[in-house]
């Protein structure tokens, strides 16, 4: 009986190795179609720290001091990421008319809010950071030499769309 089970296992492994992977989907331009970046609950903290590490590396290369995650700025970023999803538009004002300064103030953050970057995308956090770095205004927020704290959060919809918010504070 053991030999039959072993033979069956080897046969199954062999057949599994012979199966073809799903073909890559190509868009009308002939380039590969992107896969949905689905964020699981266990990845949320990793994403925040991956973004923090990446921002700090960019800041180091630009001669700016590192920033650290701040719970109050994270809360302001999370509130806005979810609110942009509800409004279904990427912009800096909340559905209640609040500005980034208002949202940071509501959290009790004692420093000055220096800037906010936002995005509506299906891309990863690092692809989003790369896009922010290509734009002068968002790059200036990320590399602001006065920044000492960072808030970063996202909200992902069921369809995969992600609303990213990054807030810098002194």
């Amino acid at each position: 009986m053991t030999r039959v089970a072993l033979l069956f296992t080897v046969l199954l492994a062999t057949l599994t190795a012979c199966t073809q992977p799903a073909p890559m989907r190509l868009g009308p331009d002939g380039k590969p179609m992107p896969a949905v970046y689905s964020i699981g609950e266990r990845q949320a903290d990793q994403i925040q720290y991956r973004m923090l590490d990446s921002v700090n590396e960019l800041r180091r290369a630009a001669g700016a001091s590192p920033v650290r995650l701040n719970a109050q700025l994270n809360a302001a970023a999370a509130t806005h990421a979810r609110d942009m999803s509800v409004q279904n538009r990427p912009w800096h004002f909340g559905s209640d008319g609040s500005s980034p300064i208002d949202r940071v103030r509501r959290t009790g953050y004692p420093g000055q809010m220096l800037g906010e970057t936002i995005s509506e995308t299906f891309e990863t956090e690092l692809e989003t950071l790369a896009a922010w770095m290509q734009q002068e205004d968002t790059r200036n927020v990320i590399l602001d030499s006065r920044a000492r704290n960072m808030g970063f959060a996202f909200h992902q919809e069921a369809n995969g769309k992600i609303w990213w918010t990054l807030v810098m504070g002194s």
Side-chain angles (χ1 to χ4, degrees), residues 141-163:
V141 169
I142 293 165
L143 300 179
D144 190 327
S145 63
R146 300 170 296 164
R148 298 293 173 261
N149 296 296
M150 180 180 97
F152 179 69
F154 65 91
H155 174 73
Q156 186 167 35
E157 296 178 355
N159 66 4
K161 184 189 295 184
I162 308 170
W163 301 85

Side-chain angles (χ1 to χ4, degrees), residues 4 37-38 56 69 91 93 108 120 126 128 146:
V4 173
Y37 179 53
S38 181
N56 279 333
L69 284 175
W91 73 323
F93 294 94
E120 165 199 20
L126 298 182
T128 301
R146 300 170 296 164

Side-chain angles (χ1 to χ4, degrees), residues 15-77:
L15 289 175
T16 303
C18 293
T19 61
Q20 296 279 336
M24 185 180 301
R25 292 182 38 221
L26 299 178
D29 59 358
K31 294 182 180 177
M33 295 289 290
V36 173
Y37 179 53
S38 181
I39 302 169
E41 287 183 35
R42 298 174 72 190
Q43 294 173 295
D45 289 340
Q46 295 171 357
I47 288 172
Q48 271 192 324
Y49 286 107
R50 192 166 37 242
M51 180 62 89
L52 176 66
D53 291 343
S54 299
V55 165
N56 279 333
E57 186 59 32
L58 291 167
R59 290 176 61 79
R60 185 196 61 73
S65 60
V67 293
R68 63 181 181 267
L69 284 175
N70 176 277
Q72 292 157 315
L73 294 180
N74 284 342

Side-chain angles (χ1 to χ4, degrees), residues 80 84 90-92 116-120 128 132 138 164-166:
H80 194 54
M84 285 190 297
W91 73 323
H92 293 283
E116 176 183 76
T117 63
I118 58 173
S119 183
E120 165 199 20
T128 301
W132 284 338
T138 53
W164 301 104
T165 304
L166 182 143

